Amino acid sequence: MYKPHVLIVDDEEGMLEVCRDTLWRLPGVQISTEGDPLRALERLSHETVDLLICDIRMPKLDGVELLRAAREKDADTLILLMTAYPTVESAVEAMKLGASDYITKPFVPDDLRATVGRLLESKQLRAEKTLLQRQVERPYSLGEMVGESSAMRSVWEAVLQIAGADIDVLVSGETGTGKELVARSVHRQSSRSQGPFVPVDCAAIPEDLLESELFGREAGAFTGAARRSLGLLEFADGGTVFLDEIGELPMRLQAKLLRTLQERKIRRVGGTRETPINVRIVAATNRNLDLEVKEGRFRDDLYYRINVASIVLPPLREREGDVAVLAKHFIERFGTEGAGASRNMDPDALEILASYRWPGNVRQLQNVIKRALVISKDPTLSVNDLPDELVALTDSIPTGEREGFFETRRRTTDAFEREYLSKLLTVCRGEVVQAAKKARVPRGTFYRLLKKHGLTPEDFRS
């Protein structure tokens, strides 16, 4: 766990002892003292200091020079100046120089402790805000896992069994199956539930930034790195890190991540000191990592390290009965966001959803329901509210694999549509604008119907 480093500089040994004895009670803080300001200046060149406490007036080198040196090394370093000659002018001057605060000698120990605690807490809050802003926004969130199929019951049982073991987990499944939901469920059911859950999309962050995002960086580590920054692994201390699409991780970073998982220590980019971390890794991939390992695109030792426990998410097409359950869930969730009462879906539309193969899985179904709720003006969602391409693909399922009234009606409707469109194009000699007007449908809809039935206007212009 990262401990903020406080360096106290004063040429009076007695003052160093008072400060050290006062601040050692602060939890999780590393305290260092230095009586020689020149040695302190040297330490600032190679040590990371979160808070510098120094006297303004010292022989050899005053506190102002130390302040400037600390700020050049890391612009985020906090400065607390001590002075025995308090005036309004000195306070204003200290702030102009970049000091975070100042305290007068002699001081009450509780005042020093409260000031230091407040400064370190404000810095931690700023760091957390920055890290949260850096995280990639997820394009979807289901809120909870939903389903009644036996395939999903097996997933829930695996989550409950694995969550309490505090071991690293690999979640695999196609895109859109809800791998992050599983990771969040593992976190919530574990002893780390009160700690942070930090998602990292390994595929969305550029390779040249991913290392510093994961491991952090020291000021000056590379061009443009003016400030020290905690990495997401360090920020997640005590909680869970979700490494989404870990199969996209470059080989160079795979080696560094492997060492981190083995040692449970991280080294920031440009740094020399290792910092212990206490995190659980839940990794996810839509790739076949066995194949990736065989073809040399993924390290076998990292694969074995993250695959201590495994959860495989089934695609939606293999979750019998869950399409209707999920559709109802999404309608209840998003149906109240528009104007009007709660919505439902007619059996014909539900049957089409159940027949579709869903290459985009749950995420695609969610988006289809959202779209239908937006465009529909009726309390009941119908086939007309579903995307034309979805209906057309569903209609292409062989007749022998489908039975029932709705399928028969759909095939009859298709035959009518094709015959009607063909006759209309013949009369209009292939002119789509004229044919759409006669059919009293928008031109875009007319084109979609032609595409659905494989009709080409040019074939009717002769």
Side-chain angles (χ1 to χ4, degrees), residues 347-400:
D348 201 1
L350 276 175
E351 192 168 344
I352 288 179
L353 296 183
S355 301
Y356 187 59
R357 299 290 291 171
W358 298 109
N361 292 292
V362 181
R363 184 188 306 169
Q364 184 186 7
L365 173 60
Q366 176 185 256
N367 292 335
V368 166
I369 297 298
K370 275 187 173 182
R371 173 189 178 277
L373 290 168
V374 168
I375 67 174
S376 177
K377 298 179 181 179
D378 300 321
T380 299
L381 302 181
S382 67
V383 175
N384 293 330
D385 301 316
L386 301 180
D388 291 341
E389 61 272 16
L390 186 149
V391 176
L393 286 173
T394 306
D395 288 343
S396 66
I397 297 175
T399 303

Side-chain angles (χ1 to χ4, degrees), residues 445-462:
T445 301
F446 197 87
Y447 272 115
R448 284 195 294 272
L449 288 169
L450 294 181
K451 182 178 179 181
K452 173 183 174 182
H453 295 287
L455 298 175
T456 305
E458 286 77 8
D459 295 340
F460 296 86
R461 289 174 182 168
S462 60

